[in-house]
Amino acid sequence: MKEVWKDPICGMKGDRNISATKEGKIYYFCSEHCKEEFLNSNKKTKKKKQKEIETDLRGAEKLEVGIKGMHCASCVLKVENSIKKIPGIYSASVNLAAEKAFVQYDKDNVSIPDIKQAVKEAGYEAVEFDADFEKEKEHEIRQLKTKVIIGGILSAIIFMLSFPEWFFFMPAFFHQNFILLLVLTTPVQFWVGWQFYEGTWKTLKRKTADMNTLIAVGTSAAFFYSAGVALFPSAFTEPAVYFDTAAIIITLILLGRYFEAVAKGRTSEAIKKLIGLQAKTARVLRGNKEIEIPIEEVKTGDIILVKPGEKIPVDGIVAAGHSSVDESMVTGESIPVEKKEKDEVIGATINKSGFLKIKTAKIGKDTVLSQIIKMVEEAQGSKAPIQRLADKISSVFVPVVILIAVGAFGFWYLTGSPFLFAFTVLIAVLIIACPCALGLATPTAIMVGTGKGAENGILIKGGEALETAHKINTIIFDKTGTLTKGKPEVTDIIAFSGSEDDALKYAAIVEKRSEHPLAEAIINEAKKRKIKIQEPKNFKAIEGKGVQAGCNGKLILFGNRKLMKENNISIDNFEKQIQKLENEGKTVMLLSVEKKLYGAIAVADTLKEHSKEAVEALKKKNIEVIMITGDNERVAKAIARQAGIDHVLAEVLPQDKAKEVKKLQEQGKIVAMVGDGINDAPALAQADLGIAIGSGTDIAMETGNIVLIKNDLRDVVKSIELSRYTIKKIRQNLFWAFAYNVAGIPIAAGILYPAIGLLLNPIIAAGAMAFSSVFVVSNSLLMKRYK
């Protein structure tokens, strides 16, 4: 029997403990869910939506670990493949720009030392991603800077000594002094450029090659050939040296790496800013005393005191006080939010005006800010599907380049060209082909894009979500709590006798003791109008019809038509007015006082402030907008009309929403579902892109691919715009990386030499290679200016 280790459903690494036999082959699966789907299918399914897989793997253990020693896309692929070989690994994603690996694994079968050992076997080092790792990175950057400066000084001297005819001020003793050049070049070759040899040795032990191999082979060829000329000049008919080539190439490539390292640090500034928002201390009420303690010592249930202008240190509930709070650092919303007793507050926000007592609800990793930081880190470490092309190319790129370099050398030498000419071609091809830019093109753009989103209250869970968003052509909005406020409000008061306030007063009195959901809307409106609500007498709820009570000796009835008909109260004269309100999707309740129709009050779940604006913006982008709801068709169409939505799916049960999404997908549409992240979970999972609207709750964080911290539907539009902009940058980066290599390698190989005499100098090749990486990172950093 043939063993197949890749899960045939989702393509992830299979587990020996979850297997099945089909058509004489043993198949291994990442989960029981995939196994069941495979056995129930008539044919092998090769693809399954990643979001469904993620749902199955929510119980999987997650590890984030720093990786030292990576320099290009082929390094990334080696680390990933080495980790994925471990049975029990569900997924492994390595980010070159962040120098991290994100691994999902079965904790019962895989340990962290297993993963670190796999990284070591790939030739790299796995370290804890903590403050020490950050300090070590900073030390490496300083060391790199020192080497670049020393290498630059020595290379400048070597260059001047190599071409004395250009530098007339050089004493004659130094002219073409090969031994002196050898002495000056040796520290550049073996100290400044030591990391290239170190990287090459690691890859040779694994019988592979990477960009270090290209640089080490190219510069060593130049150095050792020149050393031979310097030490044994009589053995060469053409005693020319390439010390300047070796030294300048190493220095230029290290200079590129230095700029790249500095720029990569700037791509993760969003994370650093978020971490910087966290409070260091909190003023806690213990007994009758106020004490200031480190934030790590705060416990759930502690009462925190926050003065005006201070940072709120924890997530909690306002126990006492009233203030406005600036939440812009977490939600991106610039307008301060009013906070009163029982309102929720988010840690790291700023208390603007009043004094607040806050009861601690969440601490440490459970706080909204900690969850946001975790999500952004995971997103920045994820991989967009577009990156897979670069990964595949880089896996075969280096060996192919070495063959091209050797082939070009052989071609020119065997066709009669001088050895030095063929040798120059060999070095130029090896140097120009380093695939650094390929490895940085996608992750740098994703890091800046997800960071930019986080700054504006848009949490994008990964590269795949960021890439999918720009393809969306159909968006489904849930109604209640998404398009609408999710809270009924009084919209109309009609007084058939007396004033509107009198009608509202009677309705509020009779509803004061009611537990009906609409009663709260009546009471709130009366309070808003500062109407005094008396205590009702003989209150009685009449199931399915309404309520009745007495006040000042008067009988008050408040309910539907059935209640009025039962009490012989005629509504015929006002039926048209009532129907008009009902046709607008409003719930109309009728009021009678002393058996006479007194008024009617309409209650409805109203649209959020910016819902209509968001729908209009999506339509302008040629995106079809659909509303889905469990409400009856009349109410649904009324709300849809107000929002400017033409297509409505009404009376759909929560469990059937996912089926409606699937129907649209079967029509070839790429569908985004926008919901509150709780009762819309099945539909959010089914959609190509799930967008959860919420205030950063745990459930909202778990649901969907994008979480919008603010309750503002305009952020749906912003998410799509950010996706389109990020993908545009990724494409620019990949085009530059590919075009540079595609154009550079043939020129370096001498393809244009017979026609126009153009041959690429290895030093220019090194400069172009270094510039290519810096250009890609810099192009991604330009995204920070995006508004």
Side-chain angles (χ1 to χ4, degrees), residues 477-520:
F477 284 101
D478 173 51
K479 181 182 81 70
T480 308
T482 302
L483 282 168
T484 66
K485 294 174 182 175
K487 200 173 182 181
E489 291 181 353
V490 172
T491 57
D492 302 87
I493 301 172
I494 301 173
F496 303 133
S497 301
S499 67
E500 284 187 11
D501 281 4
D502 285 339
L504 181 61
K505 180 182 75 174
Y506 283 123
I509 289 168
V510 77
E511 287 283 24
K512 193 171 184 179
R513 291 285 168 260
S514 173
E515 294 179 358
H516 194 278
L518 299 182
E520 190 182 350

Side-chain angles (χ1 to χ4, degrees), residues 268-289:
S268 58
E269 274 179 13
I271 289 287
K272 290 173 186 171
K273 282 181 185 174
L274 287 169
I275 292 170
L277 291 176
Q278 294 173 318
K280 306 292 185 291
T281 60
R283 193 181 296 106
V284 181
L285 196 62
R286 294 269 167 91
N288 294 322
K289 287 184 178 180

Side-chain angles (χ1 to χ4, degrees), residues 143 152 192 245 311 336 440 506-507 574 630 787:
Q143 200 174 45
V192 176
T245 301
K311 187 178 285 186
L440 292 166
Y506 283 123
F574 308 104
K787 300 288 184 187

Side-chain angles (χ1 to χ4, degrees), residues 377-432:
E377 283 179 334
E378 287 181 0
Q380 291 190 338
S382 67
K383 191 170 288 189
I386 199 169
Q387 174 67 15
R388 289 168 197 154
L389 175 65
D391 287 348
K392 284 176 184 174
I393 289 173
S394 66
S395 65
V396 296
F397 193 75
V398 175
V400 168
V401 166
I402 292 173
L403 288 174
I404 291 171
V406 173
F409 171 82
F411 171 80
W412 287 111
Y413 188 62
L414 294 173
T415 53
S417 296
F419 171 81
L420 292 177
F421 178 90
F423 188 64
T424 302
V425 168
L426 171 79
I427 297 170
V429 173
L430 287 172
I431 297 303
I432 202 166

Side-chain angles (χ1 to χ4, degrees), residues 440-619:
L440 292 166
T442 302
T444 52
I446 286 175
M447 287 177 76
V448 179
T450 51
K452 194 75 184 173
E455 286 172 17
N456 292 278
I458 300 168
L459 302 183
I460 301 161
K461 283 193 174 180
E464 187 158 359
L466 196 61
E467 185 171 337
T468 302
H470 88 285
K471 301 174 186 173
I472 295 300
N473 53 33
T474 304
I475 289 187
I476 304 175
F477 284 101
D478 173 51
K479 181 182 81 70
T480 308
T482 302
L483 282 168
T484 66
K485 294 174 182 175
K487 200 173 182 181
E489 291 181 353
V490 172
T491 57
D492 302 87
I493 301 172
I494 301 173
F496 303 133
S497 301
S499 67
E500 284 187 11
D501 281 4
D502 285 339
L504 181 61
K505 180 182 75 174
Y506 283 123
I509 289 168
V510 77
E511 287 283 24
K512 193 171 184 179
R513 291 285 168 260
S514 173
E515 294 179 358
H516 194 278
L518 299 182
E520 190 182 350
I522 303 291
I523 301 297
N524 287 341
E525 184 64 24
K527 285 179 179 176
K528 199 189 290 181
R529 297 192 183 202
K530 297 181 180 176
I531 294 170
K532 189 178 179 183
I533 308 169
Q534 292 173 255
E535 281 295 325
K537 291 182 180 177
N538 304 317
F539 172 82
K540 183 182 176 184
I542 305 161
E543 194 175 341
K545 295 169 188 173
V547 290
Q548 71 174 47
C551 183
N552 297 331
K554 294 178 180 177
L555 176 67
I556 307 168
L557 297 170
F558 190 53
N560 57 23
R561 285 179 174 83
K562 287 180 184 177
L563 183 64
M564 298 298 122
K565 190 176 181 182
E566 243 179 37
N567 288 275
N568 298 315
I569 299 165
S570 174
I571 62 169
D572 294 343
N573 294 336
F574 308 104
E575 187 64 45
K576 280 186 179 178
Q577 285 174 274
I578 295 165
Q579 282 185 10
K580 180 178 177 291
L581 293 171
E582 287 177 334
N583 289 334
E584 291 170 2
K586 298 168 184 175
T587 301
V588 181
M589 293 174 287
L590 305 171
L591 173 72
S592 85
V593 180
E594 288 295 281
K595 299 277 185 166
K596 288 183 180 177
L597 195 64
Y598 196 91
I601 297 178
V603 175
D605 185 6
T606 55
L607 277 181
K608 285 181 184 172
E609 188 181 356
H610 302 296
S611 294
K612 189 174 183 180
E613 187 183 336
V615 170
E616 285 174 358
L618 290 167
K619 283 183 169 180

Side-chain angles (χ1 to χ4, degrees), residues 99-350:
E99 295 179 74
K100 295 181 187 177
F102 295 86
V103 185
Q104 276 188 301
Y105 63 97
D106 179 359
K107 62 181 177 183
D108 295 327
N109 294 306
V110 182
S111 67
I112 292 174
D114 292 337
I115 296 168
K116 288 185 174 180
Q117 181 59 32
V119 174
K120 189 177 179 181
E121 286 172 6
Y124 305 89
E125 187 183 353
V127 293
E128 294 300 320
F129 199 85
D130 53 17
D132 290 337
F133 181 63
E134 289 293 336
K135 284 178 186 173
E136 203 168 327
K137 277 173 68 178
E138 287 170 12
H139 173 71
E140 284 175 6
I141 290 173
R142 286 196 299 272
Q143 200 174 45
L144 199 57
K145 185 179 179 181
T146 303
K147 287 189 172 184
V148 166
I149 291 168
I150 293 171
I153 293 167
L154 289 173
S155 295
I157 296 169
I158 291 163
F159 184 71
M160 287 188 287
L161 293 177
S162 299
F163 299 97
E165 64 274 18
W166 296 350
F167 304 97
F168 57 88
F169 52 84
M170 297 295 292
F173 169 74
F174 295 115
H175 291 190
Q176 296 290 309
N177 190 326
F178 294 165
I179 296 295
L180 180 59
L181 288 170
L182 173 62
V183 170
L184 290 171
T185 308
T186 300
V188 180
Q189 186 73 37
F190 298 106
W191 178 69
V192 176
W194 177 248
Q195 58 183 282
F196 302 123
Y197 287 105
E198 194 174 34
T200 301
W201 174 244
K202 286 176 181 176
T203 58
L204 287 176
K205 284 195 293 185
R206 299 187 314 278
K207 298 176 182 175
T208 59
D210 64 6
M211 67 161 288
N212 289 304
T213 312
L214 298 179
I215 297 163
V217 170
T219 58
S220 295
F223 177 82
F224 286 112
Y225 173 80
S226 302
V229 171
L231 295 171
F232 310 105
S234 59
F236 296 84
T237 53
E238 300 175 74
V241 292
Y242 288 86
F243 288 120
D244 58 313
T245 301
I248 293 171
I249 284 172
I250 285 171
T251 304
L252 279 174
I253 291 169
L254 278 192
L255 179 65
R257 281 195 182 178
Y258 170 72
F259 285 142
E260 187 185 299
V262 172
K264 280 196 295 188
R266 289 173 58 201
T267 62
S268 58
E269 274 179 13
I271 289 287
K272 290 173 186 171
K273 282 181 185 174
L274 287 169
I275 292 170
L277 291 176
Q278 294 173 318
K280 306 292 185 291
T281 60
R283 193 181 296 106
V284 181
L285 196 62
R286 294 269 167 91
N288 294 322
K289 287 184 178 180
E290 290 181 25
I291 57 169
E292 193 163 305
I293 61 173
I295 196 70
E296 294 81 14
E297 293 178 19
V298 176
K299 298 172 185 173
T300 305
D302 276 346
I303 299 296
I304 309 290
L305 308 176
V306 187
K307 294 177 182 177
E310 290 185 339
K311 187 178 285 186
I312 295 171
V314 294
D315 290 8
I317 309 292
V318 177
H322 180 275
S323 181
S324 60
V325 174
D326 179 2
E327 296 184 339
S328 60
M329 59 286 300
V330 175
T331 66
E333 179 57 65
S334 58
I335 301 168
V337 181
E338 292 297 313
K339 298 290 180 182
K340 59 185 184 303
E341 203 171 324
K342 294 184 180 177
D343 282 348
E344 292 183 1
V345 290
I346 304 170
T349 55
I350 305 293

